[in-house]
Amino acid sequence: MSAMFEALQTFMAEARALLEDMELNLLSLEQQPDDKEAINAVFRAAHTIKGSAGLFGLDEIVNFTHHAETLLDQIRDGKVRFTNDLIGLFLECGDHIGHLLTNADQGRTSDATLQANAQRLVSLLCGALHHSSSVSENHKANTTAHYSSADMAVRGEHIWNINIAFGIDTYRNGMDPDSFVQYLRTLGQVSVSAKFQFPDSDRDFDPESCYVTLHIQYVGEATEETLHSVFEFVRDDAELSITRVDNQQQESIESNTQDVLLANGNDPRQTSGSTTQLIRIHADKLDALITLVGELVTTSAGVGLLAARHHDAALMEATSDAARLIEDIRESAMRLRMVEIGETFNRFRRVVRDVAKELGKTISLDITGADTELDKSVVERIGDPLTHLIRNAIDHGIEAHEVRVAAGKPESGTLKLNAFHESGGIIIEVVDDGAGLNTQKILAKAIEKGLVSHDASLSEEAIAQLIFEPGFSTSDHISNISGRGVGMDVVKRNIEALRGSITIDSMPGLGTTFRIRLPLTLAIIDGFLMSVGDANYVLPLELMQECVELPVQEVSETGRSYINLRGEVLPLIKMREYFALERGSARRENVLVVRFGMKKVGLVVDDLKGELQTVIKPLGPLFKQLRGVSGSTILGTGEVALMLDVAALLDDIAQFVNERG
Amino acid sequence: MTSDGARMILEGELTIYSVSQHFEEWREIMSNAIAQKLLSVDIDTQEVVDIDSAGVQLLAYFSERATQSGITVNWSAPSDAVARAQQRYQMENWFAPLSEAIV
């Protein structure tokens, strides 16, 4: 049972990956409808999903995908042209298969809506098939090419004879011998003849049993291993024999092929390697490993402390070596969880296409920095907020054709998704070249909704921030896409839950940039330890710019809350006052200069204790309301240090300054 | 069309989901044909919109079994779907081709 369950989970994950792959290829086909590789890839995705679904008895998926596969087959043979309508249809089919997968995963069957949708799609698929099936004949002639073995050797091609007697239950398992042949056709030239071994009387004949033996001649580059893998789904029941019929000896061929392939820069070991380089690991196991590494980091800090106390040079050296190795382990462990954001970005191609189509806008999506890596858990949770931002940008940001043309802009709008690393975090930008935020309108709306008072004088930036207030929406009409007034506040909340922040840059007439800043990971950070009175605090190291001594003469006890830092005004937050701590006995105070986004602030603390690696533990629900602190960590000495929430500190000081005028 | 035989009309889907039903129809037609000592059976596949390997197999079975019983099968012109399936399996000549006159 559990093995079956695991296998099913693997199938689900693979099928979803295949669907994503299919979608990407379809979208690229929209630009280049004749891309053979992409067409083959779409076909293979459908074929594989169907084949694996059959193994799990997911008849609904098999049945539905079969129709899509049939049409794709025709497209691949050049009998049907891939029009944009068809691409739209296949995108819908992909979505439908996705729904079926979700249902199968949760052990549900289709409801009426889903069934109706399936029927509609199938009839569209069949319609497309018949519509164009009559053009087929003239394509047939050139499929049988003549091969000289010299040509073939150069191309690394060989002739293989494949005999396969399918198992009696092949059809019942949801498989069709023909689909394997079709798949084989994607790998080279194929000719097939079928033989049937029927029982002697009607009584023994079961039309649902499979009596087919195929004799296949295959010419192409595929290796024996690849050919075997084609029949992987039926290998257990079928009798399969695959033999080379080239006129050379097996061994010498092996090395020859290899040489030829290598000469072509087409090393088979590499191609097969690319599939085996990936190992599927359960996320729980990774999390457990990372927790352990976290504990190791803490322990190592404790050992280092002890060693320092003993003043034993050899011991200190040994512990510092160990600490360095642990640092490496930590980094590689963290990297295991890192995934490229590109996959998430690619999902938005579809969102942009669909939303733009619905609104009758032409919009191109530019993606940069797709290889930027960040923690898997962050990637998973950033998808929804990003989707919302993108929908908003298309709906509200980018203007209608006529408006754009009148404003002297290109008719088609551009949406940019960009990701890059910056000082220990990752920045994700959603940039549109639309009209920019209408601050007048936003302010008017905010006043109308009672979010700000009539006489409030707000900076442009502050007005822009208002769109993140709960229940705010400026669109005059409510559209399907966005504009229900739910969302932007949720977007902000989701991002803040990831210890991130979001800012808006808007230029009237030129467009809007949403900039999301996220930490790379949620678990372990490089921190900087300091103390105020008896309490220890940790700050993410990447936010720190520098430390300076607090010039006593410049800041009197009650007076100014800023200093002159090399000609720049640096606002200060006195941590002692902020956390309402008792006066300590520190001889002098220090200023930690912290940068967060575009803002800079100085934190006034007692002692600076240096860098450390630290595992962040969340605070209990009891402390949820606590401002300025985002977590805790246990030091090597066993003491607890609190993690400062710089974003909240900065907000507070901004508010404080505002209130004072 | 020849009229001295029984007639089997296949429509819509000829796939794993419908082969059992078609097979039952076939048995009935065949037992009638044998009882009436008919010489031929018409099989019309012009309205088949979808056929899979189970369907092709069933047609092959009809052909083989009829021949064994001494009955000739007159095949209609295949529908596009059937023609494609035959082509894929290189079975164009498998089902005794109809003369042009009949079509």
Side-chain angles (χ1 to χ4, degrees):
Chain A
M1 169 66 203
S2 86
M4 189 62 190
F5 178 74
E6 267 179 34
L8 186 65
Q9 289 308 305
T10 311
F11 160 69
M12 290 290 168
E14 276 172 4
R16 285 193 194 287
L18 283 167
L19 282 180
E20 270 170 34
D21 203 37
M22 182 164 142
E23 187 172 296
L24 269 189
N25 279 304
L26 283 170
L27 292 173
S28 91
L29 278 166
E30 213 165 32
Q31 314 299 323
Q32 297 167 309
D34 294 322
D35 185 349
K36 278 265 181 305
E37 258 316 295
I39 295 174
N40 274 338
V42 173
F43 173 81
R44 276 196 298 263
H47 170 81
T48 312
I49 290 173
K50 186 181 122 176
S52 330
L55 288 183
F56 292 98
L58 303 170
D59 290 344
E60 237 179 327
I61 298 178
V62 175
N63 197 13
F64 180 78
T65 316
H66 169 75
H67 291 286
E69 193 189 350
T70 312
L71 181 55
L72 281 168
D73 186 35
Q74 295 294 304
I75 292 168
R76 219 185 37 182
D77 290 354
K79 291 173 186 163
V80 178
R81 228 187 104 73
F82 229 150
T83 59
N84 275 358
D85 285 349
L86 274 186
I87 289 172
L89 175 59
F90 277 112
L91 283 172
E92 276 195 74
C93 289
D95 292 346
H96 185 74
I97 297 171
H99 291 312
L100 293 179
L101 283 172
T102 313
N103 271 354
D105 200 12
Q106 296 165 353
R108 284 185 310 198
T109 49
S110 292
D111 55 20
T113 346
L114 211 53
Q115 277 172 8
N117 195 34
Q119 262 173 15
R120 182 179 62 86
L121 291 172
V122 167
S123 66
L124 283 173
L125 286 171
C126 290
L129 199 58
H130 293 130
H131 183 63
S132 35
S133 54
S134 46
V135 253
S136 61
E137 296 312 307
N138 44 3
H139 280 272
K140 249 170 39 183
N142 49 5
T143 46
T144 42
H146 294 283
Y147 297 97
S148 80
S149 51
D151 277 359
M152 283 170 42
V154 170
R155 278 177 292 168
E157 293 185 346
H158 296 285
I159 304 174
W160 297 85
N161 271 344
I162 302 169
N163 279 302
I164 177 161
F166 286 91
I168 196 95
D169 287 328
T170 305
Y171 299 142
R172 288 189 202 92
N173 289 339
M175 277 170 290
D176 188 325
D178 184 45
S179 59
F180 300 97
V181 177
Q182 295 310 314
Y183 183 74
L184 209 54
R185 284 187 208 275
T186 66
L187 303 172
Q189 300 281 339
V190 174
S191 70
V192 192
S193 63
K195 281 202 173 59
F196 300 92
Q197 271 134 10
F198 294 125
D200 290 333
S201 80
D202 279 354
R203 210 175 325 132
D204 297 331
F205 175 77
D206 181 344
E208 290 183 2
S209 293
C210 181
Y211 305 99
V212 179
T213 301
L214 292 181
H215 176 77
I216 304 167
Q217 190 170 68
Y218 164 80
V219 183
E221 293 179 23
T223 59
E224 187 168 353
E225 201 182 325
T226 314
L227 293 176
H228 272 284
S229 73
V230 169
F231 299 98
E232 200 178 344
F233 296 130
V234 285
R235 203 163 39 192
D236 291 345
D237 302 322
E239 280 171 40
L240 176 65
S241 81
I242 297 179
T243 44
R244 276 273 296 275
V245 289
D246 292 6
N247 48 5
Q248 293 148 300
Q249 287 297 308
Q250 192 71 21
E251 284 97 327
S252 68
I253 295 164
E254 280 297 286
S255 56
N256 273 347
T257 348
Q258 203 117 83
D259 290 346
V260 171
L261 291 175
L262 284 171
N264 284 351
N266 202 353
D267 188 346
R269 285 166 299 189
Q270 272 178 8
T271 41
S272 67
S274 67
T275 49
T276 52
Q277 267 165 10
L278 298 174
I279 308 175
R280 228 169 256 283
I281 299 181
H282 215 284
D284 291 350
K285 287 185 189 164
L286 260 190
D287 288 344
L289 175 67
I290 295 199
T291 315
L292 277 178
V293 173
E295 299 295 336
L296 192 60
V297 168
T298 311
T299 320
S300 148
V303 174
L305 220 62
L306 279 176
R309 207 176 288 164
H310 281 79
H311 302 292
D312 182 335
L315 181 61
M316 276 165 71
E317 197 171 320
T319 48
S320 84
D321 277 353
R324 186 174 48 78
L325 289 174
I326 290 171
E327 156 88 358
D328 289 350
I329 294 176
R330 179 195 77 125
E331 268 184 18
S332 3
M334 293 314 292
R335 218 171 299 135
L336 287 180
R337 281 191 63 96
M338 295 295 230
V339 292
E340 293 184 359
I341 197 162
E343 211 171 296
T344 310
F345 276 4
N346 280 332
R347 275 183 13 214
F348 296 125
R349 290 192 189 278
R350 177 71 188 282
V351 174
V352 170
R353 175 193 178 276
D354 288 357
V355 177
K357 207 161 191 173
E358 196 169 325
L359 294 168
K361 296 179 180 177
T362 348
I363 289 165
S364 64
L365 176 67
D366 277 0
I367 291 179
T368 43
D371 53 355
T372 313
E373 289 188 330
L374 75 166
D375 195 281
K376 189 171 187 306
S377 56
V378 182
V379 168
E380 277 163 5
R381 287 158 67 185
I382 198 62
D384 286 350
L386 273 181
T387 311
H388 200 91
L389 286 178
I390 287 168
R391 282 167 170 270
N392 250 315
I394 300 172
D395 196 7
H396 301 315
I398 294 176
E399 318 92 321
H401 284 187
E402 316 80 67
V403 183
R404 289 184 68 87
V405 173
K409 292 192 200 178
E411 193 180 80
S412 131
T414 308
L415 193 65
K416 281 190 199 133
L417 270 175
N418 185 22
F420 54 93
H421 286 288
E422 189 195 80
S423 54
I426 182 175
I427 311 282
I428 302 172
E429 289 179 331
V430 180
V431 186
D432 68 58
D433 66 344
L437 293 177
N438 185 342
T439 44
Q440 296 300 320
K441 206 163 149 189
I442 293 172
L443 188 59
K445 194 82 164 194
I447 291 171
E448 179 194 317
K449 299 238 172 190
L451 296 172
V452 286
S453 63
H454 283 278
D455 47 0
S457 68
L458 294 172
S459 65
E460 294 275 304
E461 201 188 333
I463 295 172
Q465 288 290 331
L466 286 173
I467 64 170
F468 292 118
E469 292 296 321
F472 186 91
S473 172
T474 58
S475 184
D476 293 328
H477 62 286
I478 287 174
S479 68
N480 246 342
I481 310 302
S482 53
R484 272 161 302 213
V486 292
M488 288 308 260
D489 58 319
V490 179
V491 168
K492 189 179 188 196
R493 226 175 28 238
N494 284 345
I495 290 169
E496 283 177 347
L498 292 169
R499 291 201 288 120
S501 60
I502 179 164
T503 53
I504 310 174
D505 251 349
S506 175
M507 298 285 280
L510 293 179
T512 313
T513 301
F514 286 92
R515 193 171 288 115
I516 299 170
R517 197 195 146 81
L518 292 169
L520 283 183
T521 172
L522 303 175
I524 306 181
I525 62 157
D526 281 317
F528 188 88
L529 184 66
M530 66 211 139
S531 68
V532 184
D534 292 335
N536 291 308
Y537 296 96
V538 179
L539 194 73
L541 191 63
E542 68 260 14
L543 298 179
M544 268 192 54
Q545 293 235 297
E546 58 182 315
C547 308
V548 293
E549 193 174 326
L550 184 73
V552 181
Q553 62 277 26
E554 215 176 301
V555 183
S556 64
E557 288 293 313
T558 53
R560 301 167 17 204
S561 55
Y562 55 89
I563 56 168
N564 178 352
L565 181 71
R566 293 185 293 275
E568 210 181 314
V569 177
L570 181 74
L572 295 179
I573 303 178
K574 291 177 183 160
M575 298 310 290
R576 185 183 309 284
E577 288 174 17
Y578 186 87
F579 286 121
L581 298 169
E582 285 174 26
R583 267 216 67 78
S585 55
R587 280 161 291 140
R588 59 190 171 93
E589 289 176 303
N590 294 288
V591 177
L592 275 177
V593 182
V594 174
R595 201 186 81 127
F596 189 73
M598 303 289 170
K599 296 170 187 155
K600 240 178 179 183
V601 70
L603 303 180
V604 182
V605 300
D606 291 353
D607 284 334
L608 304 176
K609 295 192 169 175
E611 292 175 30
L612 84 167
Q613 285 186 0
T614 161
V615 184
I616 303 173
K617 312 253 179 201
L619 289 175
L622 204 60
F623 302 106
K624 221 174 170 180
Q625 301 303 320
L626 206 58
R627 299 273 308 164
V629 176
S630 60
S632 68
T633 181
I634 299 167
L635 302 177
T637 54
E639 286 175 284
V640 172
L642 293 173
M643 177 87 200
L644 292 178
D645 179 357
V646 179
L649 288 176
L650 279 170
D651 272 2
D652 280 1
I653 192 170
Q655 219 169 352
F656 186 62
V657 171
N658 272 352
E659 278 165 17
R660 277 192 172 181
Chain B
M1 263 309 161
T2 49
S3 53
D4 61 337
R7 184 176 175 81
M8 171 150 195
I9 299 172
L10 296 162
E11 286 172 327
E13 289 194 356
L14 187 53
T15 64
I16 180 70
Y17 299 102
S18 61
V19 283
S20 291
Q21 183 199 332
H22 290 308
F23 178 57
E24 288 311 314
E25 291 168 25
W26 159 261
R27 289 184 71 164
E28 217 165 285
I29 289 172
M30 278 300 279
S31 60
N32 285 340
I34 290 167
Q36 296 170 30
K37 299 202 163 63
L38 295 177
L39 292 176
S40 67
V41 173
D42 295 343
I43 300 183
D44 185 341
T45 62
Q46 290 185 81
E47 297 301 320
V48 173
V49 296
D50 189 12
I51 181 167
D52 65 1
S53 295
V56 172
Q57 174 181 286
L58 190 66
L59 295 183
Y61 182 77
F62 291 169
S63 167
E64 186 176 312
R65 195 40 51 92
T67 313
Q68 280 173 10
S69 315
I71 294 175
T72 314
V73 178
N74 294 321
W75 296 95
S76 72
S79 72
D80 290 333
V82 174
R84 274 198 306 275
Q86 291 175 354
Q87 193 185 319
R88 282 205 297 267
Y89 280 131
Q90 297 182 352
M91 292 172 71
E92 288 98 330
N93 302 320
W94 235 87
F95 310 108
L98 284 180
S99 67
E100 294 292 322
I102 300 169
V103 184

